[in-house]
Amino acid sequence: MAKNPVYQLALAHINDCHSHFDANRQSLAITLNDTSYRLNTNVGGYAAISAAVQQHFNGHSCPNLFLHGGDCFQGTLYYSVYRGLANAHLLNALQLDAMAIGNHDIDPGNQGLKPFLDELNFPVVAGNLDLSQESPSKTYALNNHPNLLHYDPNEQVALIKRIPFYDTELAIVGVTIEQMHKVATPDPECNFLHAAKVINNTVKQLKSDGINHIVVLSHLGLSHDRDLASAIKGVSFIVGGHSHSLQGNFNHINMDQGLTYGEVINDIPIFHAGKFAECVGLSLLNMDANGKVIDVFGGNQFPLAEPFELTVNNQPLPPSQANSILKRIMALPGLQQVQPDASIEAILEKKYRPKLIQMAQTKVAFASKTLHHTRLPSVGLPQGSEVAPIVAQGFYRSARDLGHRVDFGLHNAGGVRTSLIAGDLSQADIAGRMLPFMINLVVYQIQGNYLSQVLESAIDSAINNGVIGTGTGSFPYGYRIGYHYDASAPSGQRITNLRLYNEQGQWEEVNAEQLYWGVSSAYTASGKEGYQALLNRAQQHSLDIAMAQSFIDLLNHHDLSLLENHFQLQFTGR
């Protein structure tokens, strides 16, 4: 076959779905001809994404590729209850070609990842994951797993997936977070190498084999994908995840992040598709014989499904008028009406939803008021999250109820996933959405000077202040603790006025040499995401209670309106 002047590819991609298999019921704010509408509809979910992808692929008579940028684990009760097995079942049903490994996917270690890999009918790619130190006799060994394409230490390249592509082949190379041990808890034998170096070595080998169409499937985050694109060459495009970046113009539904779909760095387009299975990237790429992308058509799409309810000024429109307006709305960029895939709906309905419905109907607590959650302090919320300090208070109360001495509770912002809405709360609300990570608590003893280091390092990491951060999720919140962070101060001097609320009901300055007792999640206590100074603890005790249960217990015994807010934060210099 003669070389084609244009190599066309239909691309579909998702990332950071976090076990959001079901559609999200959302209210989209839409303006048409100076009239503001509210469209209440089902957004995304695996059945809708499957339908949108099938429509996209069926509409183009060219090769197609469906990729996942990683982080399918965690996030909902589907994971809390079924772990990775439900994910494997549903991802197989989506008929993916490959998935990057995300930090949440490897967070449960080999024991949580291997059963997931065992069930897949597509590969997970992590070309900078070096498993050469892993013993072949290790329980839940990952090295040489047929569904994990990791680093080849002998050739010093990534194992790749090759796909027939016109008169040649298309190669998929995967990379993931180099600082994985700082943000997750993989097994110790998992080593993560420099992504750009691995890719450049791999591309060199592929080019020598005559393969020019090379895709990087990444879980680095958009900013690091930009850095990666600047440091590599010979790659056609990057499909990524981790940063929950929604590319494309979505001003018309008030969801715009100011990001260009297929942003080009160093002649390499980068594609991200938001989060939580709300949308899917659907594009048509034209590439030349050397693998360079010369045209990109399409973008991120929000698949919308019935029922639709259209209102103006909180008043429903009559059906005849609503249908006309709805057609105009569906013609807007990035919105697509679909009929959800019945086969995926059947899997969810028969196998996985019944237990979750039962949990959603079980009321476990009551919230007397709404509390908002944001990771970082802002103009509207100068103290930052209203939820995270209450969660830390739950940690404190649970540890005290179990007979432990505790001086403070400390929690990272990323451990809380949603705001708390006033009213009855079910097990699904708390353990499935707000605190979905099934992680137990740890009580530890730490010197005052290390506590100051913890706070400074965690905030530095959250705002990239002089360090390569791990994301805003590291920002520290607490109970019976107060501090001032000055971003403009020299490193090591940014935390001042560090104090704890003592048993006498007074704020007391922390003594750098004195030992104090704290309680956090086992994740934070393990020194992840800037909390490494906690590893200098003098003692620790693991508690047999998870984060979600400690919060439920707190609300069952204390009304939110009566809880005292013993967290003080001053954040300046930025």
Side-chain angles (χ1 to χ4, degrees):
M1 175 181 177
K3 277 192 176 292
N4 293 290
V6 175
Y7 292 74
Q8 197 165 72
L9 175 71
L11 173 67
H13 59 97
I14 53 178
N15 55 269
D16 300 283
C17 295
H18 289 292
S19 306
H20 284 257
F21 305 146
D22 290 324
N24 296 310
R25 190 68 181 172
Q26 293 189 22
S27 179
L28 303 180
I30 300 171
T31 300
L32 288 174
N33 295 338
D34 297 326
T35 301
S36 296
Y37 298 93
R38 279 279 174 183
L39 176 62
N40 301 315
T41 180
N42 289 331
V43 179
Y46 277 26
I49 283 176
S50 177
V53 171
Q54 289 178 43
Q55 282 182 227
H56 179 55
F57 288 168
N58 291 338
H60 300 287
S61 56
C62 64
N64 55 63
L65 193 63
F66 190 5
L67 301 176
H68 192 311
D71 269 3
C72 69
F73 281 10
Q74 297 285 9
T76 72
L77 276 177
Y78 282 114
Y79 182 79
S80 302
V81 173
Y82 300 108
R83 299 302 181 182
L85 297 183
N87 273 282
H89 193 176
L90 272 297
L91 290 172
N92 283 339
L94 284 180
Q95 301 181 58
L96 292 176
D97 289 294
M99 184 183 98
I101 193 167
N103 50 299
H104 287 288
D105 304 320
I106 204 168
D107 204 25
N110 288 23
Q111 186 173 356
L113 181 58
K114 185 178 182 298
F116 168 74
L117 294 173
D118 290 344
E119 299 300 318
L120 297 182
N121 56 22
F122 60 88
V124 169
V125 292
N128 63 329
L129 169 57
D130 182 1
L131 294 167
S132 59
Q133 302 304 309
E134 184 181 86
S135 169
S137 61
K138 177 183 171 70
T139 305
Y140 300 108
L142 298 180
N143 198 14
N144 298 318
H145 193 291
N147 286 332
L148 179 61
L149 301 182
H150 50 76
Y151 181 70
D152 180 347
N154 296 319
E155 298 293 329
Q156 298 185 356
V157 297
L159 298 176
I160 61 165
K161 177 171 182 177
R162 298 189 183 201
I163 297 174
F165 190 59
Y166 296 97
D167 57 342
T168 181
E169 289 181 308
L170 181 145
I172 302 173
V173 185
V175 288
T176 191
I177 299 169
E178 297 167 15
Q179 298 176 303
M180 190 68 81
H181 285 279
K182 290 186 176 181
V183 299
T185 52
D187 282 20
E189 300 88 351
C190 294
N191 295 308
F192 297 87
L193 308 179
H194 191 270
K197 183 176 181 180
V198 171
I199 290 173
N200 280 328
N201 286 349
T202 307
V203 169
K204 184 177 179 180
Q205 184 187 75
L206 289 169
K207 295 286 186 179
S208 69
D209 291 342
I211 299 176
N212 293 318
H213 299 85
I214 303 168
V215 180
V216 171
L217 186 51
S218 152
H219 193 81
L220 299 175
L222 182 56
S223 64
H224 292 296
D225 280 341
R226 291 167 176 157
D227 295 339
L228 179 67
S230 298
I232 61 177
K233 55 185 178 180
V235 165
S236 299
F237 58 90
I238 298 171
V239 171
H242 183 56
S243 52
H244 297 192
S245 303
L246 176 62
Q247 293 179 321
N249 184 350
F250 291 98
N251 277 318
H252 48 287
I253 57 173
N254 291 326
M255 294 179 69
D256 194 67
Q257 293 185 8
L259 301 173
T260 301
Y261 182 78
E263 173 185 353
V264 178
I265 303 290
N266 194 24
D267 286 336
I268 301 173
I270 303 171
F271 301 101
H272 282 240
K275 58 177 174 52
F276 301 164
E278 294 171 335
C279 69
V280 54
L282 300 173
S283 56
L284 187 67
L285 311 183
N286 288 336
M287 293 179 279
D288 63 20
N290 294 318
K292 181 181 177 180
V293 175
I294 53 180
D295 292 302
V296 176
F297 305 99
N300 281 321
Q301 299 286 322
F302 284 84
L304 310 181
E306 295 180 334
F308 299 110
E309 180 188 26
L310 201 60
T311 65
V312 176
N313 297 325
N314 295 322
Q315 297 299 316
L317 291 178
S320 58
Q321 185 179 358
N323 289 338
S324 174
I325 299 297
L326 190 60
K327 288 181 181 178
R328 293 170 58 196
I329 288 175
M330 291 303 173
L332 293 171
L335 302 181
Q336 179 178 353
Q337 183 175 352
V338 299
Q339 181 65 41
D341 187 326
S343 63
I344 290 184
E345 274 294 314
I347 293 171
L348 290 166
E349 189 66 27
K350 294 176 182 178
K351 191 170 180 65
Y352 299 114
R353 278 196 191 122
K355 189 169 184 177
L356 270 61
I357 291 172
Q358 180 183 3
M359 295 176 73
Q361 293 171 344
T362 304
K363 304 303 177 183
V364 294
F366 177 80
S368 58
K369 62 179 180 179
T370 293
L371 298 174
H372 298 283
H373 177 61
T374 180
R375 291 188 171 189
L376 297 179
S378 62
V379 174
L381 292 167
Q383 288 281 106
S385 174
E386 296 175 321
V387 181
I390 304 298
V391 173
Q393 183 171 359
F395 293 178
Y396 176 92
R397 294 294 176 187
S398 291
R400 292 290 294 265
D401 290 347
L402 291 169
H404 293 273
R405 175 190 166 182
V406 192
D407 298 307
F408 64 91
L410 187 65
H411 193 38
N412 65 307
V416 179
R417 307 306 279 188
T418 64
S419 297
L420 179 69
I421 307 302
D424 288 327
L425 298 173
S426 70
Q427 196 171 10
D429 293 325
I430 298 174
R433 284 183 282 276
M434 196 184 83
L435 296 169
F437 304 120
M438 302 298 288
I439 301 172
N440 284 359
L441 305 182
V442 171
V443 171
Y444 50 87
Q445 190 180 41
I446 190 167
Q447 208 169 23
N449 65 311
Y450 291 128
L451 178 57
S452 179
Q453 291 177 28
V454 165
L455 296 171
E456 177 169 328
S457 177
I459 300 175
D460 285 347
S461 182
I463 64 174
N464 298 314
N465 191 8
V467 299
I468 299 175
T470 54
T472 54
S474 65
F475 197 91
Y477 292 96
Y479 178 65
R480 288 182 170 249
I481 190 170
Y483 61 87
H484 175 203
Y485 175 89
D486 182 358
S488 64
S491 178
Q493 302 176 36
R494 293 170 182 159
I495 295 293
T496 58
N497 198 22
L498 177 57
R499 57 210 180 278
L500 298 178
Y501 192 78
N502 63 26
E503 294 298 322
Q504 290 71 45
Q506 297 177 330
W507 286 99
E508 177 181 312
E509 185 177 352
V510 168
N511 184 324
E513 304 301 321
Q514 186 174 329
L515 289 168
Y516 299 92
W517 286 97
V519 58
S520 300
S521 72
Y523 177 82
T524 301
S526 66
K528 306 299 179 183
E529 300 194 61
Y531 288 82
Q532 59 268 21
L534 286 182
L535 299 178
N536 294 301
R537 54 186 172 262
Q539 300 182 56
Q540 76 168 41
H541 305 287
S542 298
L543 308 184
D544 190 21
I545 184 169
M547 296 192 298
Q549 189 58 52
S550 73
F551 188 79
I552 291 170
D553 291 346
L554 178 70
L555 293 193
N556 278 333
H557 292 90
H558 302 277
D559 188 284
L560 280 177
S561 63
L562 302 178
L563 290 175
E564 296 178 322
N565 180 21
H566 295 320
F567 173 64
Q568 295 184 356
L569 164 65
Q570 188 179 4
F571 186 72
T572 59
R574 186 174 186 268

